[in-house]
Amino acid sequence: PGVITRAPSRLITYRQGMNDLVVAQVWRYPAKSMLGERVPSVSVSAAGVLGDRGWAVRDEVRGGIRGAKKIGDLMHLGARYVAPPTAHDPTPHIEISFPDGTSVTSADGDINARISAELGHHVTLWPLQPPDDLDHYRRGAADSDDLLVELRDIFGRTEDEPLPDLSVFPPEIFEYESPPGTYLDAFPLMVMTTGSVATLQDHLPDSVLDLARFRPNLVVTAEATPDNPWPEQGWVGRRATIGTAEVEFVTGCPRCVMITRPIRDLPDDRSIMRAVVREADQNLGVYATVVTPGTIAEGDQLA
């Protein structure tokens, strides 16, 4: 589940309204930049999916919480919760699996040594810390003193490609790795449609487009058409009720280098970024905020 291979382009009848759109898959990612877990339903609040990015690694060489933008091999690791997260315990212990089939839990005394050895980089594993622990969330040292070089490295852009419009991001992420109190990149939810994945696949017939590359929380069934090749981009500025929750779609998701990274048996594929920049104006999927907390499940319609 999660692998899109030549996804059919006619999945539902797409209309101007949203009430033909259905949640096909629900995902949460227990640890930042590690492979996630597909679940039948999730609770969502202003902080996003309960348990999403509840853990992350800290770079003990250059400082700061780090994801696969900087430590690409994180995407070879898988993470799952040992017990379901709850409102009283939103970050229970996790089990981390390695490509060789072995695993370790966050409760094990050698967890940091095991992950560091796997990544070839000294890191420590942390659950979410209080939002007022600003030093914990502060960005670590950059790899380059040249800001443009640093940004092109993070976003996987060549010199002749535009960088994203950074004004769409919350201002705090320029000082902190994530909004303090979260390990999110920027916004609580990321939503993609099957139609956009099908459109991208049409432009990349030789690539395997696994959802693990794109890390959506919700995958919505929607048909792409020649006039509407990236369906969710038309939702920006709109609200939708999904299950018992209400969300607002706030901006397209400008993609970074992570979508090109090798993931276990998937190779490094820079052509994916070239196609997203060239064909989709850099955006694949949309970010959303949660207006009304609730529960979202597979099979729920958007209304």
Side-chain angles (χ1 to χ4, degrees):
V3 178
I4 305 293
T5 55
R6 301 300 297 169
S9 60
R10 300 188 182 279
L11 295 167
I12 67 167
T13 301
Y14 180 82
R15 299 176 184 168
Q16 185 64 30
M18 287 187 166
N19 50 351
D20 281 326
L21 307 176
V22 177
V23 176
Q25 296 182 26
V26 178
W27 290 83
R28 72 178 172 214
Y29 304 89
K32 184 178 180 69
S33 291
M34 298 184 194
L35 300 176
E37 50 188 6
R38 184 176 173 182
V39 292
S41 66
V42 288
S43 296
V44 298
S45 70
V49 170
L50 179 65
D52 195 41
R53 279 83 167 183
W55 294 76
V57 300
R58 182 176 182 82
D59 186 339
E60 298 297 343
V61 178
R62 299 187 67 81
I65 296 297
R66 295 291 199 192
K69 296 180 184 67
K70 292 293 186 180
I71 306 177
D73 284 350
L74 281 166
M75 296 185 75
H76 290 303
L77 310 185
R80 71 172 188 88
Y81 280 110
V82 175
T86 67
H88 297 293
D89 186 12
T91 56
H93 283 294
I94 57 174
E95 179 183 60
I96 295 174
S97 59
F98 301 125
D100 65 2
T102 62
S103 63
V104 64
T105 76
S106 52
D108 292 340
D110 64 346
I111 179 69
N112 293 327
R114 291 282 303 278
I115 297 177
S116 296
E118 187 68 32
L119 298 176
H121 195 87
H122 185 199
V123 299
T124 52
L125 182 69
W126 290 80
L128 284 173
Q129 298 299 296
D132 60 356
D133 186 357
L134 296 181
D135 283 343
H136 177 74
Y137 295 99
R138 204 174 304 279
R139 285 191 176 274
D143 291 328
S144 173
D145 292 331
D146 186 320
L147 179 59
L148 284 179
V149 171
E150 180 75 3
L151 290 174
R152 291 192 184 283
D153 180 64
I154 289 171
F155 287 102
R157 301 295 193 269
T158 60
E159 289 189 0
D160 61 339
E161 290 176 335
L163 287 165
D165 176 6
L166 300 181
S167 69
V168 304
F169 293 116
E172 59 264 32
I173 69 166
F174 295 98
E175 182 176 357
Y176 305 103
E177 181 67 22
S178 56
T182 81
Y183 291 142
L184 304 171
D185 280 349
F187 295 96
L189 298 176
M190 206 285 282
V191 184
M192 290 178 61
T193 63
T194 54
S196 286
V197 179
T199 296
L200 185 61
Q201 187 74 81
D202 286 342
H203 290 292
L204 295 166
D206 298 324
S207 294
V208 177
L209 300 184
D210 192 307
L211 288 174
R213 289 191 184 277
F214 307 112
R215 305 177 68 75
N217 295 116
L218 305 178
V219 181
V220 175
T221 303
E223 181 188 10
T225 68
D227 293 332
N228 190 34
W230 315 100
E232 63 268 37
Q233 300 305 320
W235 304 349
V236 172
R238 301 173 67 182
R239 292 186 178 186
T241 298
I242 316 175
T244 60
E246 183 182 14
V247 307
E248 181 173 0
F249 302 103
V250 293
T251 187
C253 177
R255 289 302 181 160
C256 72
V257 70
M258 284 177 60
I259 67 171
T260 72
R261 298 287 197 202
I263 305 174
R264 296 201 172 174
D265 59 341
L266 295 177
D268 181 277
D269 190 344
R270 300 303 174 97
S271 69
I272 297 174
M273 182 61 75
R274 306 287 79 76
V276 170
V277 172
R278 182 181 65 249
E279 306 293 343
D281 194 25
Q282 308 191 52
N283 297 317
L284 189 66
V286 290
Y287 282 124
T289 57
V290 177
V291 179
T292 304
T295 300
I296 296 175
E298 291 187 359
D300 283 343
Q301 287 191 323
L302 281 67

